[in-house]
Amino acid sequence: MASAIRVLSMDAVQQANSGHPGAPMGMADIAVALWGRHLKHNPVNPHWFDRDRFVLSNGHGSMLIYSLLHLTGYDLPIDELKHFRQLHSKTPGHPEVGVTPGIETTTGPLGQGITNAVGFALAEALLAQEFNRPGNDIVDHYTYAFVGDGCLMEGISHEACSLAGTLRLNKLIALYDDNGISIDGDVEYWFADDTPKRFEAYGWNVIRGIDGHDVDAVDAAIAQAKTSDRPTLICCKTLIGKGAPNKQGGHDVHGAPLGADEIAATRASLGWHLPPFEVPADVYTAWDAKAAGQRAEGAWNERFAAYRSQFPAEAAEFERRMKGELPGDFKSAAAALIAKTNEKGETVATRKASQLAIEGLAAVLPEFLGGSADLTGSNLTNWKASKAVRANEDGVQFGNHINYGVREFGMSAIMNGMALHGGYIPFGGTFLTFSDYSRNALRMAALMKLRSIFVFTHDSIGLGEDGPTHQSIEHVSSLRLIPQMDVWRPCDTTETAVAWVAAVERHDGPSSLVLSRQNLPFVTRDDAQIADIRRGGYVLRDVANPQILLIATGSEIELALKAADVLAAEGVAARVVSMPSANVFDRQDKAYRERVLPRGVSRVAIEAGVTAYWHKYVGLEGGVVGIDTFGESAPAGVLFKHFGFTVDHVVATVKSVLG
C-alpha cells in the first residue's frame, strides 16, 4: 500500500517534470496508518458532514493526497494523476478546495494548513457543544493534519498551535514528518528547536520517537492520541524520499523529479515491476474505502434520523446551517435593521456602527461567531449577548466570541478553517494596519471563496496620536487589489449596516469591513439611495448638469459634501458619489456605472490613503486628494488639516482639474 503511494508520486512528478516527490515518499507509511486504519470518510460522498477532516499542511507534497484520493476510491481517475500540474487538471501543484474531490482546504503557503485545521477542530468542538444531546452525538469527528518542518518554522504555526492548546482541542491530531530536510538542506543549521517541548509548552499531548516507517507504531500512536484530553502532536521520524536508494534522506529529493535512472532504481528497491501509473488489483482492493465509508455514513444517517425524531427543531437548524443557508426571516430582519439604523440617524464612529449592526444581526444569526485579536474594546466585535469561548478541564466550552490574543495571522486562517468546516459565519477584528500581518490568510480566503468577514478598524490618519506605525495609508487600496475580496469603507451607520448585510449574504467570497475610530456624521438619504448602497457606489448628492464628480469613501464623505456646498456657492455644480465598495461597484453593469460616473465629466477622488488606486476612476487628468507619505503622531483633527484634507484643498483641486 505504501509502495503504491511512492511510485504514483514519483511517476507523476517525473511526467510533469515538476513537483515534490520527497514528502509523499517519506510519509507513505504514515498515510497507510491513518487512511488505512483510522480516517472516517466516504469517497462516494466527499461532503458527508461527520467525516473526519484531513489537512495536508505541507501542501507541496500534493501527490501524497492525490494518490490517497485515487487509491481509496474518490472521483479522481488515474488520468488526472497523469496530468499532475497541467492546465485544468484536478491535480494542481498544490491541493485546492473546490478543484479536487476530497480536498478540505487549499494548502501550499506553509503553516496555514495546520492553522486551518485548528479552525476545523474548533468548529467541530463548538458545534458538538451546541447540538449534541445525551446519547445523540451527531457531531463527532476528528481533524488530522500532516505537517512538516516548514509548517512548524512559519510563525503562524506558533500562533495557532498555542491557541489550540489553550482551548484544549482534543480532537485535533497532527502528525509531524520529522525528516530534517528542507529545500536548502539539513534543517539543523536553521531549525534547532526542541519541537516536542515546544508543543508540550503549548499544552499539547506529545507522542515522541515514533518510527514513521513502522505502520503499526503510527497506528498505535493515533489510537493513543484519540484518548487524550488535549490536542496531540505525533512526532514521526522519517526518511525523505524513502525508497529512492541514491537520493533518499537528502534535499535533492525534496523539490525535483528523481530522474529516469533513480526511478528505475527505486522500482527495483521496492520490488515494483509495473510500468508507470499501473497499480495491481489487490493493492486497489486493500486501499478501497468506499464500502467502509458508506457504512460509516449510513450509521450516522441512522443516528441523525433518531436525533431528528427526538429534537426536530435542532435537527432542522443543524441542516440549515450546514447547508450555509441563512434563516428564513433574515431578509426581513436585515431590512428592518437598515431601516431602523437610517431612522435613528446616529453620528458615531463606524466601528461603533458596526457593533450596532452586529447586535441586530446576531439576534437572527445563531451561526455568528465573532472574535478579536486582543482589541475587542477597540474594534467592538462583541455584542451584549455574546459569550466568550473558554476552556476548562473538560475541554473547550461553547461560546460565540473568540479572544484570539495578539495573533492576527492565526486568527484569520483559523476563521478560514471554520468557514470551510461549515456551521458558522466567522468574523474577527483588528486594526487595519495589522491586516498586513493577516494578508496571506486574506488572500487564501479570497482564493477559496470563503464566507469569512474581516473587521478592520482605525482606518486612516484619523487614528491620531498613535502615529505612522498604526495609521493605515496603503492598506485599503491594497486590500481592494485582492481578487474576489469585497472591501467596504462605509461613511456612516446606514452604509455600515448595509455593508454587514452584504457581507453576511455573500456566498462566493470574503469581505473586509474598514471602519473609523472617530465619529462620522450621519447622512440623510432617500429609499432609492439606500437601495443603491448595495451596488458599491451611488449618487449621494446630485445636481443638474454636473461639472465635477467628487468621489469619496468613509470619513471623507463629509469633506466631499462640504466642498460641494462651497463649489455651489462659487457657481460650480458638483455631484457627490459615495463609493463604499469599489469592488462591488466594478461588478455592476456598464449602464449603471456610467449613470453614476457619466463620461465626459471631470472627476476628483477623496480618500485618506494612497492616491494611485483612484486614477482608475478619475483618469490621469483627474485629481486625487489623498496621502502618499506615512502619517504623523498628532490629534486626528490636526493631521487631517496637515495632510490637506480640508475643504479649501478639495476646492482648489477641483479648480485645478477644471482649469
Side-chain angles (χ1 to χ4, degrees):
M1 291 170 74
S3 293
I5 294 173
R6 293 186 170 108
V7 295
L8 286 173
S9 297
M10 71 179 186
D11 287 343
V13 171
Q14 183 70 19
Q15 181 146 309
N17 196 30
S18 174
H20 299 75
M25 297 176 74
M27 297 192 78
D29 303 294
I30 301 172
V32 171
L34 176 60
W35 282 65
R37 303 186 184 181
H38 290 275
L39 193 71
K40 181 176 65 173
H41 64 121
N42 184 5
V44 178
N45 181 12
H47 301 293
W48 162 46
F49 166 73
D50 205 40
R51 67 192 181 277
D52 292 336
R53 269 55 168 187
F54 173 77
V55 176
L56 182 68
S57 189
N58 44 348
H60 55 272
S62 56
M63 269 310 304
L64 173 62
I65 193 167
Y66 296 150
S67 299
L68 288 164
L69 294 171
H70 168 72
L71 291 166
T72 55
Y74 285 79
D75 183 17
L76 194 68
I78 196 69
D79 281 348
E80 294 292 349
L81 275 63
K82 293 178 181 178
H83 292 97
F84 176 55
R85 289 188 166 223
Q86 304 309 301
L87 185 64
H88 302 316
S89 76
K90 291 184 179 180
T91 50
H94 292 83
E96 295 183 37
V97 68
V99 173
T100 314
I103 298 296
E104 300 285 2
T105 180
T106 300
T107 55
L110 293 175
Q112 286 198 63
I114 180 61
T115 308
N116 294 162
V118 173
F120 282 122
L122 181 52
E124 191 276 344
L126 295 177
L127 284 169
Q129 293 274 336
E130 191 172 358
F131 285 99
N132 286 353
R133 299 293 182 269
N136 291 272
D137 290 348
I138 60 169
V139 182
D140 184 17
H141 51 269
Y142 286 87
T143 299
Y144 297 98
F146 282 0
V147 299
D149 289 310
C151 296
L152 299 185
M153 280 187 257
E154 287 286 358
I156 191 174
S157 73
H158 297 253
E159 297 182 24
C161 294
S162 170
L163 185 62
T166 301
L167 294 179
R168 302 177 72 95
L169 300 177
N170 68 306
K171 297 180 95 171
L172 172 63
I173 299 174
L175 294 105
Y176 169 32
D177 178 30
D178 182 13
N179 61 39
I181 296 292
S182 66
I183 290 175
D184 282 354
D186 295 339
V187 301
E188 62 181 310
Y189 300 109
W190 48 85
F191 184 51
D193 301 18
D194 188 329
T195 297
K197 283 186 179 179
R198 169 185 155 192
F199 275 78
E200 287 172 347
Y202 292 155
W204 285 51
N205 170 44
V206 177
I207 302 175
R208 301 165 177 253
I210 300 300
D211 179 353
H213 302 301
D214 183 338
V215 174
D216 290 335
V218 177
D219 171 23
I222 296 170
Q224 179 184 337
K226 288 180 174 180
T227 67
S228 176
D229 61 353
R230 294 173 289 163
T232 296
L233 179 74
I234 302 174
C235 301
C236 302
K237 195 65 181 175
T238 64
L239 197 63
I240 190 170
K242 171 75 171 174
N246 303 304
K247 292 190 175 183
Q248 62 184 13
H251 70 275
D252 288 343
V253 76
H254 182 284
L258 297 183
D261 291 343
E262 186 68 7
I263 283 180
T266 302
R267 275 185 154 74
S269 73
L270 296 176
W272 191 280
H273 304 297
L274 294 170
F277 301 106
E278 285 193 22
V279 177
D282 62 328
V283 175
Y284 274 122
T285 299
W287 270 115
D288 191 351
K290 294 192 294 295
Q294 287 175 301
R295 287 195 299 272
E297 182 177 358
W300 183 83
N301 287 337
E302 290 180 6
R303 292 201 306 276
F304 189 74
Y307 180 89
R308 182 188 287 113
S309 67
Q310 286 186 261
F311 311 102
E314 290 85 348
E317 173 69 4
F318 178 81
E319 289 182 306
R320 175 189 72 77
R321 285 168 56 174
M322 293 314 302
K323 290 176 183 176
E325 297 174 352
L326 295 175
D329 60 349
F330 179 79
K331 284 191 178 298
S332 60
L337 169 68
I338 294 168
K340 180 181 178 182
T341 300
N342 192 63
E343 182 182 341
K344 291 183 73 174
E346 294 178 279
T347 290
V348 297
T350 51
R351 60 172 174 159
K352 180 60 178 179
S354 170
Q355 187 178 46
L356 296 173
I358 292 170
E359 193 77 53
L361 294 173
V364 293
L365 285 176
E367 59 265 52
F368 241 14
L369 183 55
S372 175
D374 200 50
L375 293 166
T376 305
S378 292
N379 55 43
L380 307 180
T381 53
N382 59 344
W383 62 102
K384 291 176 184 176
S386 61
K387 179 182 179 182
V389 173
R390 294 287 185 264
N392 57 31
E393 63 276 6
D394 296 322
V396 69
Q397 301 302 299
F398 178 74
N400 51 17
H401 189 273
I402 302 167
N403 297 103
Y404 287 98
V406 188
R407 301 182 178 101
E408 296 89 354
F409 194 6
M411 173 183 73
S412 301
I414 289 170
M415 286 167 52
N416 290 345
M418 292 190 291
L420 285 160
H421 182 279
Y424 294 106
I425 298 176
F427 63 92
T430 187
F431 287 178
L432 178 58
T433 192
F434 302 134
S435 64
D436 282 341
Y437 285 158
S438 302
R439 189 172 182 87
N440 203 260
L442 306 184
R443 183 177 186 271
M444 297 303 290
L447 180 63
M448 292 188 276
K449 302 180 180 180
L450 302 181
R451 191 194 263 166
S452 297
I453 303 174
F454 303 101
V455 179
F456 297 120
T457 66
H458 298 62
D459 67 344
S460 69
I461 56 173
L463 174 59
E465 293 86 347
D466 276 343
T469 60
H470 284 53
Q471 290 164 7
S472 305
I473 304 302
E474 74 278 20
H475 299 77
V476 182
S477 287
S478 70
L479 289 174
R480 291 178 180 131
L481 296 177
I482 301 175
Q484 298 171 177
M485 172 70 76
D486 281 358
V487 181
W488 291 86
R489 187 172 185 245
C491 76
D492 68 355
T493 53
T494 301
E495 284 192 357
T496 304
V498 172
W500 260 108
V501 171
V504 168
E505 290 184 343
R506 190 177 184 212
H507 286 266
D508 59 353
S511 300
S512 290
L513 308 185
V514 179
L515 309 167
S516 74
R517 177 196 187 192
Q518 72 275 24
N519 288 350
L520 302 184
F522 176 76
V523 181
T524 302
R525 302 170 183 80
D526 60 29
D527 290 343
Q529 288 174 311
I530 294 172
D532 282 343
I533 296 172
R534 283 295 297 265
R535 306 184 80 166
Y538 64 102
V539 178
L540 182 59
R541 181 186 294 177
D542 209 0
V543 292
N545 302 314
Q547 297 165 266
I548 192 75
L549 306 178
L550 299 179
I551 309 167
T553 77
S555 51
E556 286 65 70
I557 285 292
E558 178 186 14
L559 182 57
L561 291 170
K562 289 180 177 179
D565 290 337
V566 172
L567 288 167
E570 297 184 13
V572 179
R575 169 185 285 185
V576 177
V577 173
S578 179
M579 188 81 77
S581 180
N583 311 88
V584 174
F585 180 75
D586 288 347
R587 291 200 297 269
Q588 304 307 304
D589 61 76
K590 181 180 179 182
Y592 178 78
R593 286 184 279 117
E594 291 190 352
R595 190 160 71 248
V596 175
L597 301 176
R599 292 175 180 269
V601 182
S602 297
R603 305 171 182 184
V604 170
I606 314 165
E607 186 172 64
V610 292
T611 60
Y613 179 87
W614 288 102
H615 285 286
K616 69 183 285 189
Y617 298 106
V618 305
L620 295 178
E621 69 283 358
V624 182
V625 177
I627 175 171
D628 288 317
T629 66
F630 293 111
E632 297 282 352
S633 181
V638 174
L639 291 176
F640 278 113
K641 183 177 180 180
H642 173 74
F643 287 109
F645 292 95
T646 64
V647 171
D648 288 346
H649 187 213
V650 173
V651 170
T653 303
V654 169
K655 290 179 178 179
S656 175
V657 169
L658 293 177

